[in-house]
């Protein structure tokens, strides 16, 4: 089976809990759409090390990995370092500092080689996996915030699966639409958003100030949803 997650933001317990919930095995593949590090969790580097040890876990570049690389590759760039730290980079910075030099270099090299999108097929459906949204540049693919009205740009029927934007922020200033979404939550926690050929799986994991947050996982063969 093929599973997709995004925006773990250092929440190791939720990551490990999800692996158990989906009974993840060597026969399965997980795609992680970036933002493993930073924000409210402190285990981002530990999750990266776990991912690096698993040949059937495929990770994409997120904007937080991009910020991390820019800051660590150019420590003399005070604006880049400040930007990263303002966005929750301190836990990642601390995690990297605890590694021996060779392992730290290996983690950063792993991040540098991450793709910024993937096209996959499962269950007879084509999917375009990306952190933000399809675009013409890596920067826009990892930073774009399409909103709830976004439509897949692909004429072949490919469905875009993305993270980056927490589902509660998809509605912009449309408070009525947000209220309708919140009213639809049967258990009081965020759920994956399904739009017009666009699926947002960022359920605000890593935001401890948001009580409705959780980690979401989507199985591509049948679009079954899992949460921890």
């Amino acid at each position: 089976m093929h599973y997709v997650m995004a925006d773990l933001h250092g929440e190791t317990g939720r990551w490990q809990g999800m692996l158990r919930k989906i009974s993840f095995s060597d026969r399965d593949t997980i795609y992680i759409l970036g933002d493993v590090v930073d924000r409210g969790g402190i285990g981002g580097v530990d999750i990266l090390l776990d991912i690096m040890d698993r040949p059937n876990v495929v990770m994409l570049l997120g904007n937080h990995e991009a910020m991390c690389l820019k800051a660590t590759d150019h420590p003399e760039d005070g604006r880049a370092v400040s930007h990263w730290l303002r966005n929750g980079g301190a836990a990642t910075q601390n995690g990297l500092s605890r590694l021996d030099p060779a392992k730290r270099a290996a983690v950063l090299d792993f991040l540098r080689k991450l793709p910024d999108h993937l096209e996959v097929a499962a269950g007879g459906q084509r999917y375009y996996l990306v952190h933000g949204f399809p675009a013409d540049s890596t920067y826009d693919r990892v930073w774009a915030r399409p909103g709830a009205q976004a439509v897949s740009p692909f004429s072949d029927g490919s469905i875009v699966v993305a993270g980056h934007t927490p589902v509660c922020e998809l509605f912009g200033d449309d408070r009525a639409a947000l209220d309708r979404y919140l009213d639809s939550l049967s258990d009081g926690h965020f759920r994956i958003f399904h739009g017009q050929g666009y699926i947002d799986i960022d359920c605000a994991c890593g935001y401890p100030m948001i009580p409705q947050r959780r980690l979401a996982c989507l199985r591509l063969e049948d679009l079954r949803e899992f949460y921890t």
Side-chain angles (χ1 to χ4, degrees):
M1 294 293 177
H2 299 78
Y3 298 90
V4 186
M5 288 183 243
D7 301 87
L8 281 72
H9 286 303
E11 294 213 33
T12 311
R14 293 179 190 268
W15 159 245
Q16 294 172 344
M18 188 64 76
L19 295 180
R20 293 191 295 270
K21 175 162 282 193
I22 66 175
S23 300
F24 185 56
S25 75
D26 293 342
R27 299 183 301 275
D28 301 317
T29 300
I30 292 176
Y31 300 99
I32 299 180
L33 310 184
D35 282 12
V36 166
V37 299
D38 299 350
R39 290 289 181 207
I42 62 172
V45 173
D46 292 331
I47 299 174
L48 286 177
L49 291 170
D50 189 20
I51 291 169
M52 292 167 64
D53 282 340
R54 295 178 183 270
N56 54 338
V57 176
V58 181
M59 182 176 166
L60 274 62
L61 181 72
N63 64 303
H64 280 265
E65 286 80 28
M67 284 189 286
C68 171
L69 286 173
K70 188 172 182 179
T72 54
D73 287 347
H74 303 282
E76 76 287 351
D77 185 344
R79 292 182 63 183
V81 174
S82 176
H83 183 221
W84 181 39
L85 295 179
R86 286 199 311 273
N87 284 277
T92 309
Q93 186 182 58
N94 292 337
L96 290 170
S97 70
R98 290 194 296 269
L99 301 178
D100 65 67
K103 185 164 286 189
R104 181 178 185 275
V107 169
L108 294 175
D109 190 53
F110 171 75
L111 296 183
R112 292 186 193 100
K113 294 176 180 177
L114 294 177
D116 62 27
H117 71 283
L118 285 174
E119 297 177 49
V120 302
Q125 174 64 53
R126 295 187 60 81
Y127 296 94
Y128 184 101
L129 310 181
V130 65
H131 183 63
F133 202 70
D136 294 330
S137 69
T138 291
Y139 180 89
D140 289 333
R141 282 189 285 270
V142 302
W143 282 98
R145 295 193 184 277
Q149 301 304 315
V151 178
S152 170
F154 302 111
S155 59
D156 65 355
S158 291
I159 296 174
V160 176
V161 183
H164 183 46
T165 303
V167 289
C168 55
E169 296 182 3
L170 284 172
F171 306 96
D173 295 330
D174 190 344
R175 183 68 199 188
L178 174 60
D179 287 343
R180 287 194 296 272
Y181 169 75
L182 294 176
D183 288 343
S184 74
L185 303 176
S186 58
D187 61 0
H189 289 86
F190 293 145
R191 300 194 66 85
I192 291 171
F193 172 83
H194 295 261
Q196 301 179 68
Y198 163 60
I199 301 174
D200 182 356
I201 63 172
D202 182 355
C203 287
C205 184
Y207 289 80
M209 74 294 293
I210 300 178
Q212 301 96 330
R213 83 187 195 282
R214 55 183 173 176
L215 176 63
C217 177
L218 184 69
R219 188 165 67 194
L220 294 182
E221 277 76 7
D222 56 5
L223 297 185
R224 181 176 173 185
E225 301 172 11
F226 302 84
Y227 298 95
T228 57

